[in-house]
Amino acid sequence: VLEPDTITYNSAISACVESAEWQTATDLIAGMGQVSVQPDTITYNSAICTCERSAEWQMAIELIAEMSRVFVEPDTITYNSTISACKKGAEWRR
């Protein structure tokens, strides 16, 4: 039996980007903890990108905050996608 790993989850979350399935992406991240798989920067970047496509700026900000809590280092893509989600959600003025 193959056990899912970070790469498996990252692929599934990346597949959510085109269809803007941000809820599925965040559910997958939540499920990672239940099977002891650690998310990484790519995991969060993909989920935040999904939020960006959906203009779900609040979830994008929540995900970037969660990264800090679980000691996952954000990168330029993380920040740019979060800023873009805020812009698309018309929250860039905050």
Side-chain angles (χ1 to χ4, degrees):
V1 174
L2 290 174
E3 296 294 325
D5 59 8
T6 304
I7 295 170
T8 308
Y9 276 95
N10 288 351
S11 296
I13 293 167
S14 291
C16 296
V17 173
E18 288 302 315
S19 57
E21 291 288 333
W22 66 272
Q23 291 170 318
T24 302
T26 56
D27 288 346
L28 285 166
I29 290 176
M32 291 176 79
Q34 296 171 357
V35 293
S36 300
V37 175
Q38 293 295 317
D40 61 12
T41 303
I42 295 168
T43 309
Y44 282 99
N45 284 352
S46 296
I48 291 169
C49 187
T50 304
C51 293
E52 173 193 1
R53 297 270 172 122
S54 306
E56 288 292 334
W57 63 272
Q58 293 159 316
M59 181 55 68
I61 290 172
E62 191 173 314
L63 288 168
I64 203 169
E66 182 177 314
M67 289 177 78
S68 178
R69 288 191 301 273
V70 298
F71 306 105
V72 174
E73 190 72 30
D75 62 11
T76 304
I77 294 168
T78 313
Y79 293 118
N80 285 342
S81 295
T82 303
I83 291 166
S84 182
C86 290
K87 179 182 175 192
K88 288 180 180 180
E91 292 299 318
W92 57 273
R93 293 182 194 149
R94 286 183 171 237

